[in-house]
Coordinates of all heavy atoms in Angstrom, one line a residue:
M17 N 97.4 121.4 76.4 CA 97.1 120.9 77.7 C 97.9 119.6 78.0 O 98.5 119.5 79.1 CB 95.6 120.7 77.9 CG 95.2 120.2 79.2 SD 95.2 121.5 80.4 CE 94.4 120.7 81.7
A18 N 98.0 118.7 77.1 CA 98.7 117.4 77.3 C 100.2 117.6 77.3 O 100.9 116.9 78.0 CB 98.3 116.4 76.3
D19 N 100.7 118.7 76.6 CA 102.1 119.0 76.6 C 102.6 119.4 78.0 O 103.8 119.3 78.3 CB 102.4 120.0 75.6 CG 103.8 120.3 75.4 OD1 104.6 119.3 75.2 OD2 104.3 121.4 75.4
R20 N 101.7 119.9 78.8 CA 102.1 120.4 80.1 C 102.7 119.2 81.0 O 103.5 119.5 81.9 CB 100.9 121.0 80.8 CG 101.3 121.9 82.0 CD 100.1 122.7 82.4 NE 99.3 121.8 83.3 CZ 98.1 122.0 83.7 NH1 97.5 123.1 83.3 NH2 97.5 121.2 84.5
F21 N 102.2 118.0 80.8 CA 102.6 116.9 81.6 C 103.7 116.0 81.0 O 104.0 115.0 81.6 CB 101.4 116.0 81.9 CG 100.3 116.8 82.7 CD1 99.1 117.2 82.0 CD2 100.5 117.2 84.0 CE1 98.2 117.9 82.7 CE2 99.5 117.9 84.7 CZ 98.4 118.3 84.0
R22 N 104.3 116.4 79.9 CA 105.3 115.6 79.3 C 106.7 115.8 80.0 O 107.0 116.9 80.4 CB 105.4 115.9 77.8 CG 104.2 115.5 77.1 CD 104.4 115.8 75.6 NE 103.1 115.6 75.0 CZ 102.8 114.7 74.1 NH1 103.8 113.9 73.7 NH2 101.6 114.5 73.5
L23 N 107.5 114.8 80.0 CA 108.8 114.9 80.6 C 109.8 115.6 79.8 O 110.7 116.3 80.3 CB 109.3 113.5 80.9 CG 110.7 113.4 81.7 CD1 110.5 114.0 83.1 CD2 111.1 111.9 81.8
S24 N 109.5 115.6 78.5 CA 110.4 116.3 77.6 C 110.4 117.8 77.8 O 111.3 118.6 77.6 CB 110.1 116.0 76.1 OG 108.8 116.4 75.8
R25 N 109.2 118.3 78.3 CA 109.1 119.8 78.6 C 110.0 120.2 79.7 O 110.6 121.3 79.7 CB 107.6 120.0 79.0 CG 107.4 121.5 79.4 CD 105.9 121.7 79.8 NE 105.7 123.0 80.3 CZ 105.8 123.3 81.6 NH1 105.9 122.4 82.5 NH2 105.6 124.5 82.0
F26 N 110.3 119.3 80.6 CA 111.2 119.5 81.7 C 112.6 119.7 81.2 O 113.3 120.6 81.6 CB 111.2 118.4 82.7 CG 112.2 118.5 83.8 CD1 112.0 119.4 84.8 CD2 113.3 117.7 83.9 CE1 112.9 119.6 85.9 CE2 114.2 117.9 84.9 CZ 114.0 118.8 85.9
F27 N 113.1 118.9 80.3 CA 114.4 119.0 79.8 C 114.6 120.1 78.7 O 115.6 120.8 78.6 CB 114.9 117.7 79.2 CG 115.0 116.6 80.2 CD1 114.1 115.5 80.2 CD2 116.0 116.7 81.1 CE1 114.3 114.5 81.2 CE2 116.1 115.7 82.1 CZ 115.3 114.6 82.1
R28 N 113.5 120.3 77.9 CA 113.6 121.3 76.9 C 113.4 122.7 77.4 O 114.0 123.7 76.9 CB 112.5 121.0 75.8 CG 112.4 121.9 74.6 CD 111.3 121.4 73.8 NE 110.3 120.8 74.6 CZ 109.0 120.8 74.3 NH1 108.6 121.2 73.2 NH2 108.1 120.3 75.1
G29 N 112.6 122.9 78.4 CA 112.3 124.2 79.0 C 111.3 124.9 78.2 O 110.6 124.4 77.3
E30 N 111.1 126.2 78.5 CA 110.1 127.0 77.8 C 110.8 128.0 77.0 O 112.0 128.4 77.2 CB 109.2 127.7 78.8 CG 108.4 126.7 79.6 CD 107.5 127.4 80.6 OE1 107.5 128.7 80.6 OE2 106.7 126.7 81.3
A31 N 110.1 128.6 76.0 CA 110.7 129.6 75.1 C 110.9 130.9 75.9 O 110.1 131.2 76.8 CB 109.7 129.8 74.0
P32 N 112.0 131.6 75.7 CA 112.2 132.8 76.4 C 111.2 133.9 76.0 O 110.8 134.0 74.9 CB 113.6 133.2 76.0 CG 113.9 132.5 74.7 CD 113.1 131.3 74.8
T33 N 110.9 134.7 77.0 CA 109.9 135.8 76.7 C 110.6 137.1 77.1 O 111.5 137.2 78.0 CB 108.7 135.6 77.5 OG1 109.0 135.7 78.9 CG2 108.0 134.3 77.2
S34 N 110.2 138.2 76.5 CA 110.7 139.5 76.8 C 109.9 140.2 77.9 O 110.4 141.1 78.6 CB 110.7 140.4 75.6 OG 109.4 140.6 75.1
A35 N 108.7 139.7 78.2 CA 107.9 140.2 79.3 C 108.4 139.7 80.6 O 109.1 138.7 80.7 CB 106.5 139.8 79.1
P36 N 108.2 140.5 81.7 CA 108.6 140.0 83.0 C 107.8 138.8 83.4 O 106.6 138.7 83.1 CB 108.3 141.2 84.0 CG 107.6 142.2 83.2 CD 107.6 141.8 81.7
I37 N 108.5 137.9 84.1 CA 107.8 136.6 84.5 C 107.7 136.6 86.0 O 108.4 137.3 86.7 CB 108.6 135.4 84.1 CG1 110.0 135.3 84.7 CG2 108.7 135.3 82.6 CD1 110.7 134.0 84.6
S38 N 106.7 135.9 86.5 CA 106.6 135.7 87.9 C 106.8 134.2 88.2 O 106.3 133.4 87.5 CB 105.2 136.1 88.4 OG 104.2 135.4 87.8
L39 N 107.5 134.0 89.3 CA 107.7 132.6 89.7 C 106.5 132.0 90.3 O 106.1 132.4 91.4 CB 108.9 132.5 90.6 CG 110.3 132.8 90.0 CD1 111.4 132.7 91.0 CD2 110.6 131.8 88.9
G40 N 105.9 131.0 89.7 CA 104.7 130.4 90.3 C 105.1 128.9 90.5 O 106.2 128.5 90.3
H41 N 104.1 128.1 90.9 CA 104.4 126.7 91.2 C 104.7 125.9 90.0 O 105.3 124.8 90.1 CB 103.2 126.1 92.0 CG 102.0 126.0 91.2 ND1 101.1 127.0 90.9 CD2 101.5 124.9 90.5 CE1 100.1 126.6 90.2 NE2 100.3 125.3 89.9
R42 N 104.4 126.4 88.8 CA 104.8 125.7 87.6 C 106.2 126.0 87.1 O 106.7 125.3 86.2 CB 103.7 125.9 86.5 CG 102.4 125.3 86.8 CD 101.5 125.5 85.7 NE 100.2 125.0 86.0 CZ 99.1 125.3 85.4 NH1 99.1 126.1 84.4 NH2 97.9 124.8 85.8
R43 N 106.8 127.1 87.6 CA 108.1 127.5 87.0 C 109.2 127.2 88.0 O 110.4 127.5 87.7 CB 108.0 129.0 86.8 CG 107.2 129.4 85.6 CD 107.4 130.8 85.2 NE 106.7 131.2 84.1 CZ 107.2 131.4 82.9 NH1 108.5 131.2 82.7 NH2 106.5 131.7 81.9
I44 N 109.0 126.7 89.2 CA 110.0 126.4 90.1 C 110.3 124.9 90.2 O 109.4 124.1 90.4 CB 109.6 126.9 91.5 CG1 109.3 128.4 91.5 CG2 110.6 126.6 92.6 CD1 108.8 129.0 92.8
F45 N 111.6 124.6 89.9 CA 112.0 123.2 90.0 C 113.2 123.2 91.0 O 114.2 123.8 90.8 CB 112.5 122.7 88.7 CG 111.4 122.7 87.6 CD1 111.4 123.7 86.7 CD2 110.5 121.6 87.6 CE1 110.4 123.6 85.7 CE2 109.5 121.6 86.7 CZ 109.5 122.6 85.7
I46 N 113.0 122.4 92.1 CA 114.1 122.3 93.1 C 114.7 121.0 92.9 O 114.1 119.9 93.2 CB 113.5 122.5 94.5 CG1 112.9 123.9 94.6 CG2 114.6 122.3 95.6 CD1 112.2 124.2 95.9
L47 N 115.9 121.0 92.4 CA 116.7 119.7 92.1 C 117.8 119.6 93.1 O 118.5 120.6 93.4 CB 117.1 119.8 90.7 CG 116.1 119.9 89.6 CD1 116.7 120.1 88.3 CD2 115.2 118.7 89.7
P48 N 118.1 118.4 93.6 CA 119.3 118.3 94.5 C 120.6 118.4 93.7 O 120.8 118.0 92.6 CB 119.1 116.9 95.1 CG 118.3 116.1 94.0 CD 117.4 117.2 93.4
T49 N 121.6 118.9 94.4 CA 122.9 119.0 93.9 C 123.6 117.7 94.2 O 123.0 116.7 94.7 CB 123.7 120.1 94.5 OG1 123.8 119.9 96.0 CG2 123.1 121.5 94.2
Q50 N 124.9 117.6 93.9 CA 125.7 116.4 94.2 C 125.7 116.2 95.8 O 125.6 115.0 96.2 CB 127.1 116.5 93.7 CG 127.9 115.2 93.7 CD 129.2 115.4 93.0 OE1 129.6 116.5 92.6 NE2 129.9 114.3 92.8
R51 N 125.9 117.2 96.5 CA 125.8 117.1 98.0 C 124.5 116.7 98.5 O 124.4 115.9 99.4 CB 126.2 118.4 98.6 CG 127.7 118.7 98.5 CD 128.0 120.0 99.3 NE 129.4 120.3 99.2 CZ 129.9 121.3 99.8 NH1 129.2 122.2 100.5 NH2 131.2 121.5 99.7
G52 N 123.4 117.1 97.8 CA 122.1 116.7 98.2 C 121.9 115.2 97.9 O 121.2 114.5 98.7
L53 N 122.4 114.7 96.8 CA 122.3 113.3 96.5 C 123.1 112.5 97.5 O 122.7 111.4 97.9 CB 122.7 113.0 95.1 CG 121.8 113.6 94.0 CD1 122.3 113.3 92.6 CD2 120.4 113.0 94.1
A54 N 124.2 113.0 97.9 CA 125.0 112.3 98.9 C 124.3 112.3 100.3 O 124.4 111.3 101.0 CB 126.4 113.0 99.1
F55 N 123.6 113.4 100.6 CA 122.8 113.4 101.8 C 121.7 112.4 101.8 O 121.4 111.7 102.8 CB 122.2 114.9 102.0 CG 121.6 115.1 103.3 CD1 122.4 115.2 104.5 CD2 120.2 115.3 103.4 CE1 121.8 115.4 105.7 CE2 119.6 115.6 104.6 CZ 120.4 115.6 105.7
V56 N 121.0 112.3 100.6 CA 120.0 111.2 100.5 C 120.6 109.8 100.7 O 120.0 109.0 101.3 CB 119.2 111.4 99.2 CG1 118.3 110.2 98.9 CG2 118.5 112.7 99.1
L57 N 121.7 109.6 100.1 CA 122.4 108.3 100.2 C 122.7 108.1 101.7 O 122.6 106.9 102.2 CB 123.7 108.3 99.4 CG 124.4 107.0 99.4 CD1 123.6 105.9 98.7 CD2 125.8 107.2 98.7
L58 N 123.2 109.1 102.4 CA 123.4 108.9 103.9 C 122.2 108.6 104.6 O 122.2 107.7 105.5 CB 124.0 110.2 104.4 CG 124.2 110.3 105.9 CD1 125.4 109.4 106.4 CD2 124.4 111.7 106.4
I59 N 121.1 109.2 104.3 CA 119.8 108.9 105.0 C 119.4 107.4 104.7 O 119.0 106.7 105.6 CB 118.7 109.9 104.5 CG1 119.0 111.3 105.0 CG2 117.3 109.4 105.0 CD1 118.1 112.3 104.5
V60 N 119.5 107.0 103.4 CA 119.2 105.6 103.1 C 120.1 104.6 103.8 O 119.6 103.6 104.3 CB 119.2 105.4 101.6 CG1 119.2 104.0 101.2 CG2 118.1 106.2 100.9
L61 N 121.4 105.0 103.9 CA 122.3 104.1 104.6 C 122.0 104.0 106.1 O 122.0 103.0 106.7 CB 123.7 104.6 104.4 CG 124.9 103.8 105.0 CD1 124.9 102.5 104.3 CD2 126.2 104.5 104.9
L62 N 121.6 105.2 106.7 CA 121.2 105.2 108.1 C 120.0 104.3 108.4 O 119.9 103.6 109.3 CB 121.0 106.6 108.6 CG 122.2 107.4 109.1 CD1 121.8 108.8 109.3 CD2 122.8 106.8 110.3
L63 N 119.0 104.4 107.5 CA 117.8 103.7 107.7 C 118.1 102.2 107.4 O 117.5 101.3 108.1 CB 116.7 104.2 106.7 CG 116.2 105.6 107.1 CD1 115.2 106.0 106.0 CD2 115.5 105.6 108.4
L64 N 119.0 101.9 106.5 CA 119.3 100.5 106.3 C 120.1 99.9 107.5 O 119.8 98.8 107.9 CB 120.2 100.3 105.0 CG 120.6 98.9 104.6 CD1 119.3 98.2 104.2 CD2 121.6 99.0 103.5
V65 N 121.0 100.6 108.1 CA 121.7 100.2 109.3 C 120.7 100.0 110.4 O 120.7 99.1 111.2 CB 122.8 101.2 109.7 CG1 123.3 101.0 111.1 CG2 123.9 101.1 108.7
G66 N 119.8 101.0 110.6 CA 118.7 100.8 111.6 C 117.9 99.6 111.4 O 117.5 99.0 112.4
F67 N 117.6 99.3 110.2 CA 116.8 98.1 109.9 C 117.5 96.8 110.2 O 117.0 95.9 110.8 CB 116.3 98.1 108.5 CG 115.5 96.9 108.1 CD1 114.2 96.7 108.6 CD2 116.0 96.0 107.2 CE1 113.5 95.6 108.2 CE2 115.3 94.9 106.8 CZ 114.1 94.7 107.3
V68 N 118.8 96.7 109.7 CA 119.5 95.5 109.9 C 119.9 95.2 111.3 O 119.8 94.1 111.8 CB 120.8 95.5 109.0 CG1 121.7 94.4 109.3 CG2 120.4 95.5 107.5
Y69 N 120.3 96.2 112.0 CA 120.8 96.0 113.4 C 119.7 96.3 114.4 O 120.0 96.3 115.6 CB 122.0 96.9 113.7 CG 123.2 96.4 112.9 CD1 123.7 97.2 111.9 CD2 123.8 95.2 113.2 CE1 124.8 96.8 111.2 CE2 124.9 94.8 112.5 CZ 125.4 95.6 111.5 OH 126.5 95.2 110.8
S70 N 118.5 96.6 114.0 CA 117.4 96.9 114.9 C 117.8 98.0 115.9 O 117.6 97.9 117.1 CB 116.9 95.7 115.7 OG 116.4 94.7 114.8
N71 N 118.4 99.1 115.4 CA 118.9 100.2 116.2 C 117.9 101.4 116.1 O 117.8 102.0 115.0 CB 120.3 100.6 115.7 CG 121.0 101.5 116.6 OD1 120.3 102.1 117.4 ND2 122.3 101.7 116.4
N72 N 117.2 101.6 117.2 CA 116.2 102.7 117.2 C 116.9 104.1 117.0 O 116.2 105.0 116.5 CB 115.4 102.6 118.4 CG 114.5 101.4 118.4 OD1 114.1 100.9 117.4 ND2 114.1 100.9 119.6
L73 N 118.1 104.3 117.5 CA 118.7 105.6 117.4 C 119.1 105.9 115.9 O 119.0 107.0 115.5 CB 119.9 105.7 118.3 CG 119.7 105.8 119.8 CD1 121.0 105.7 120.6 CD2 118.9 107.0 120.1
A74 N 119.4 104.8 115.2 CA 119.7 105.0 113.7 C 118.4 105.4 113.0 O 118.4 106.2 112.1 CB 120.3 103.8 113.1
Y75 N 117.3 104.8 113.4 CA 116.0 105.1 112.8 C 115.7 106.6 113.2 O 115.3 107.3 112.3 CB 114.9 104.3 113.4 CG 114.6 103.0 112.7 CD1 114.6 101.8 113.5 CD2 114.5 102.9 111.4 CE1 114.3 100.6 112.8 CE2 114.2 101.7 110.7 CZ 114.1 100.5 111.5 OH 113.9 99.4 110.9
L76 N 115.9 107.0 114.4 CA 115.6 108.3 114.8 C 116.4 109.3 114.0 O 115.9 110.3 113.5 CB 115.9 108.5 116.3 CG 115.7 109.9 116.9 CD1 114.2 110.3 116.9 CD2 116.3 110.0 118.2
L77 N 117.7 109.1 113.9 CA 118.6 110.0 113.2 C 118.2 110.0 111.7 O 118.1 111.1 111.1 CB 120.0 109.6 113.3 CG 121.0 110.6 112.7 CD1 120.9 112.0 113.3 CD2 122.4 110.0 112.9
G78 N 117.9 108.9 111.1 CA 117.5 108.8 109.7 C 116.2 109.6 109.4 O 116.2 110.4 108.5
F79 N 115.2 109.4 110.2 CA 114.0 110.0 110.0 C 114.0 111.5 110.3 O 113.4 112.3 109.7 CB 112.8 109.4 110.8 CG 112.4 108.1 110.1 CD1 112.5 106.9 110.9 CD2 111.9 108.0 108.9 CE1 112.0 105.7 110.3 CE2 111.4 106.9 108.3 CZ 111.5 105.7 109.0
L80 N 114.9 111.9 111.3 CA 115.1 113.3 111.6 C 115.8 114.0 110.5 O 115.3 115.1 110.0 CB 115.9 113.4 112.9 CG 116.2 114.9 113.3 CD1 114.9 115.6 113.8 CD2 117.3 114.9 114.4
L81 N 116.8 113.4 109.9 CA 117.5 114.0 108.8 C 116.6 114.1 107.5 O 116.6 115.1 106.8 CB 118.8 113.3 108.5 CG 119.9 113.4 109.5 CD1 121.1 112.5 109.1 CD2 120.3 114.9 109.6
A82 N 115.8 113.1 107.3 CA 114.9 113.1 106.2 C 113.8 114.2 106.3 O 113.5 114.9 105.4 CB 114.2 111.7 106.0
S83 N 113.3 114.4 107.5 CA 112.3 115.4 107.7 C 112.9 116.8 107.6 O 112.3 117.7 107.0 CB 111.7 115.3 109.1 OG 112.6 115.5 110.1
I84 N 114.2 117.0 108.0 CA 114.9 118.2 107.8 C 115.1 118.5 106.3 O 114.9 119.6 105.8 CB 116.2 118.3 108.5 CG1 116.0 118.4 110.0 CG2 117.1 119.4 108.1 CD1 117.2 118.2 110.9
F85 N 115.4 117.4 105.5 CA 115.6 117.5 104.1 C 114.3 118.0 103.4 O 114.3 118.9 102.6 CB 116.0 116.2 103.6 CG 116.3 116.1 102.1 CD1 117.4 116.7 101.6 CD2 115.4 115.4 101.3 CE1 117.7 116.6 100.2 CE2 115.7 115.4 99.9 CZ 116.8 116.0 99.4
F86 N 113.2 117.4 103.8 CA 111.9 117.7 103.1 C 111.4 119.1 103.5 O 110.8 119.9 102.7 CB 110.8 116.7 103.4 CG 111.1 115.4 102.7 CD1 111.2 114.2 103.4 CD2 111.2 115.4 101.3 CE1 111.5 113.0 102.7 CE2 111.5 114.2 100.6 CZ 111.6 113.0 101.3
V87 N 111.6 119.5 104.8 CA 111.2 120.8 105.3 C 112.1 121.9 104.6 O 111.6 123.0 104.2 CB 111.3 120.9 106.8 CG1 111.2 122.3 107.3 CG2 110.2 120.0 107.4
A88 N 113.4 121.6 104.3 CA 114.2 122.6 103.7 C 113.8 122.8 102.2 O 113.8 123.9 101.7 CB 115.7 122.1 103.7
I89 N 113.3 121.7 101.6 CA 112.8 121.8 100.2 C 111.5 122.6 100.2 O 111.4 123.5 99.3 CB 112.5 120.4 99.6 CG1 113.8 119.7 99.3 CG2 111.7 120.5 98.3 CD1 113.6 118.2 98.9
L90 N 110.6 122.4 101.1 CA 109.4 123.2 101.2 C 109.7 124.7 101.5 O 109.0 125.6 100.9 CB 108.5 122.6 102.3 CG 107.8 121.3 101.9 CD1 107.0 120.7 103.1 CD2 107.0 121.4 100.7
H91 N 110.6 125.0 102.4 CA 111.0 126.3 102.7 C 111.6 127.1 101.5 O 111.3 128.2 101.3 CB 111.9 126.4 103.9 CG 111.2 126.3 105.2 ND1 110.6 127.4 105.8 CD2 110.9 125.3 106.0 CE1 110.0 127.1 106.9 NE2 110.2 125.8 107.1
S92 N 112.5 126.4 100.8 CA 113.1 127.0 99.6 C 112.1 127.2 98.5 O 112.1 128.3 97.9 CB 114.3 126.2 99.1 OG 113.8 124.9 98.7
F93 N 111.1 126.3 98.3 CA 110.0 126.5 97.4 C 109.2 127.7 97.8 O 108.8 128.6 97.0 CB 109.2 125.3 97.3 CG 108.0 125.4 96.3 CD1 108.2 125.2 95.0 CD2 106.8 125.8 96.8 CE1 107.2 125.4 94.1 CE2 105.7 125.9 95.9 CZ 105.9 125.7 94.5
K94 N 108.8 127.8 99.1 CA 108.0 128.9 99.5 C 108.7 130.3 99.4 O 108.1 131.3 99.0 CB 107.6 128.7 101.0 CG 106.7 129.7 101.6 CD 105.3 129.6 101.0 CE 104.4 130.6 101.7 NZ 103.2 130.8 101.1
S95 N 110.0 130.3 99.7 CA 110.7 131.6 99.5 C 110.9 132.0 98.1 O 110.9 133.2 97.8 CB 112.1 131.5 100.2 OG 112.9 130.6 99.5
L96 N 111.0 131.1 97.2 CA 111.1 131.4 95.8 C 109.7 131.8 95.2 O 109.6 132.6 94.3 CB 111.6 130.2 94.9 CG 113.1 130.0 95.1 CD1 113.5 128.7 94.4 CD2 113.9 131.2 94.6
A97 N 108.6 131.2 95.7 CA 107.3 131.5 95.1 C 106.7 132.8 95.7 O 105.8 133.3 95.1 CB 106.4 130.3 95.5
A98 N 107.2 133.3 96.8 CA 106.7 134.5 97.3 C 107.1 135.7 96.6 O 108.0 135.9 95.9 CB 107.1 134.6 98.8

């Protein structure tokens, strides 16, 4: 039970099985690619610019892009879990 929450399990993975598997919420990991990390950096930069220059449009664009990012993660998780 305690092994389920260890970080080493994430890197080591699970032992292969010959039986068919079903993708559940414990077997799906959605990790960002290099472009995804660049997108997150762009969002952080936009929010920083909005904060420094008190620019509400930069805030709007930053939060809009962040919400699209999180909704895309949820949709990809839902399509894989179904």
Side-chain angles (χ1 to χ4, degrees):
M17 179 78 171
D19 186 47
R20 198 172 80 192
F21 299 108
R22 293 182 191 244
L23 187 60
S24 63
R25 179 180 172 262
F26 175 74
F27 293 112
R28 184 180 31 154
E30 294 181 2
T33 62
S34 60
I37 63 167
S38 63
L39 289 178
H41 67 281
R42 290 187 185 159
R43 289 189 179 257
I44 298 175
F45 297 101
I46 299 177
L47 302 173
T49 60
Q50 191 174 9
R51 286 186 181 178
L53 292 175
F55 189 70
V56 170
L57 183 66
L58 172 74
I59 292 170
V60 169
L61 185 67
L62 275 171
L63 292 176
L64 185 65
V65 165
F67 176 71
V68 169
Y69 291 111
S70 299
N71 191 344
N72 289 334
L73 289 176
Y75 274 130
L76 176 72
L77 184 61
F79 285 119
L80 179 70
L81 289 176
S83 65
I84 290 171
F85 182 72
F86 289 122
V87 168
I89 289 174
L90 289 174
H91 277 275
S92 61
F93 179 84
K94 182 70 175 170
S95 68
L96 287 172

